[in-house]
Amino acid sequence: MESTDHLLAVAKRFGYVENDGVWLRPVLGQAARQIGVVKKTADAALLYFAQRFDTLMRARVEETLENMATNENGGSFLMKALHLKEQLLTFEGLGDFADLHERISQAEESLSVTIQQNREKNLAAKQAFIEEAEALRDSVEWVSASEKVKDLRQGWLKTGPVSKELNEQLEVRFQAAIQTFFDRRKAFQSDKKAMAGRTVMRYRDLITQAEKLKDSTQFETASKQLKQLQQAW
């Protein structure tokens, strides 16, 4: 907490008392505005509003800016910073509103650059995922390809956002490539199952024919047929 004398000096720099009203001097493109009234003395009123600015507005702005600068996901604090920026226009306090406004604007600009850089990195990553997914459309290595698809989906979900105008386009293309692979794998499995079923039926038919020959008295004919069945088996 700053000393009382210093806070009072700050208060008189940015505000004044007139007709028992406490006024904030013109700032941020606004005309002077009344922010309160004198209840005891002029100095006490000025000091109160300087302390209010210091403990409520400035402290909140500095905490938010610190979070934006030090947290990995600093963008999550951007909306709070912008909300505080709007509050500067109506907050009832005495202090350097222009300085806080400028600091928030600089942080916003810096974060916007970072967000754009991250979105470009995310775009490159998602395009690579799409190319890898589309490359699997002709693969018949079903086990390894399925593991690759699983890894691609996890990587896709972990990758941050891209610009809104590209997001849907990339999502549709990636999901289409993944679905193409799964459709091909499903068709292969269905064909394999059907083939296995036909094979079983063929073996059963051969067994049935062989059993019919076991009691045959036409030995020479039955012997030839058995050999044919063995070759078919």
Side-chain angles (χ1 to χ4, degrees):
M1 180 67 69
E2 299 180 51
S3 68
T4 300
D5 290 343
H6 179 71
L7 275 178
L8 184 56
V10 170
K12 290 181 177 180
R13 175 186 171 193
F14 296 105
Y16 60 92
V17 171
E18 182 177 274
N19 298 326
D20 290 331
V22 182
W23 290 75
L24 174 68
R25 299 182 189 279
V27 67
L28 300 179
Q30 293 183 314
R33 59 185 174 91
Q34 185 174 353
I35 59 173
V37 297
V38 176
K39 294 184 178 180
K40 294 182 180 179
T41 67
D43 282 358
L46 290 170
L47 185 60
Y48 167 78
F49 283 102
Q51 290 173 332
R52 191 171 191 275
F53 176 88
D54 203 36
T55 58
L56 294 181
M57 179 53 71
R58 190 174 70 175
R60 287 159 62 192
V61 169
E62 290 182 344
E63 179 185 8
T64 301
L65 294 180
E66 177 70 14
N67 286 329
M68 290 174 67
T70 58
N71 278 269
E72 183 176 346
N73 189 19
S76 62
F77 296 94
L78 178 59
M79 291 308 299
K80 183 176 181 180
L82 295 179
H83 182 61
L84 288 172
K85 190 176 182 180
E86 292 180 358
Q87 287 184 329
L88 291 174
L89 300 175
T90 58
F91 185 76
E92 295 176 348
L94 293 174
D96 197 343
F97 282 82
D99 176 67
L100 293 186
H101 190 277
E102 178 63 20
R103 290 171 63 189
I104 293 174
S105 296
Q106 289 178 353
E108 178 187 355
E109 181 178 351
S110 176
L111 187 59
S112 295
V113 172
T114 300
I115 290 175
Q116 180 59 33
Q117 291 174 341
N118 288 339
R119 284 181 175 176
E120 290 174 359
K121 291 179 182 178
N122 295 337
L123 175 59
K126 288 194 171 184
Q127 287 175 329
F129 287 141
I130 289 172
E131 290 174 2
E132 290 186 73
E134 290 178 339
L136 295 174
R137 66 180 60 181
D138 297 323
S139 176
V140 293
E141 301 294 334
W142 302 112
V143 176
S144 60
S146 295
E147 287 298 317
K148 182 63 175 178
V149 167
K150 181 179 178 181
D151 292 340
L152 289 175
R153 296 178 92 173
Q154 290 177 343
W156 183 271
L157 292 174
K158 291 178 180 178
T159 303
V162 298
S163 59
K164 291 182 179 179
E165 58 269 21
L166 292 176
N167 186 65
E168 183 177 357
Q169 173 187 338
L170 293 174
E171 186 72 29
V172 169
R173 186 177 168 190
F174 178 74
Q175 296 302 335
I178 295 297
Q179 190 59 48
T180 296
F181 170 77
F182 283 129
D183 288 345
R184 288 180 56 248
R185 189 182 69 173
K186 182 178 180 181
F188 169 79
Q189 291 172 338
S190 296
D191 289 345
K192 184 178 180 181
K193 183 177 180 180
M195 184 180 295
R198 289 194 296 271
T199 300
V200 170
M201 292 298 295
R202 177 56 176 162
Y203 281 139
R204 287 178 178 173
D205 181 57
L206 292 174
I207 291 171
T208 300
Q209 292 182 55
E211 288 179 339
K212 289 181 179 179
L213 294 173
K214 68 181 181 179
D215 297 324
S216 174
T217 57
Q218 303 295 321
F219 300 112
E220 185 176 348
T221 302
S223 178
K224 290 181 180 180
Q225 290 178 340
L226 284 171
K227 287 181 178 179
Q228 292 174 350
L229 292 176
Q230 286 177 334
Q231 290 175 350
W233 185 276

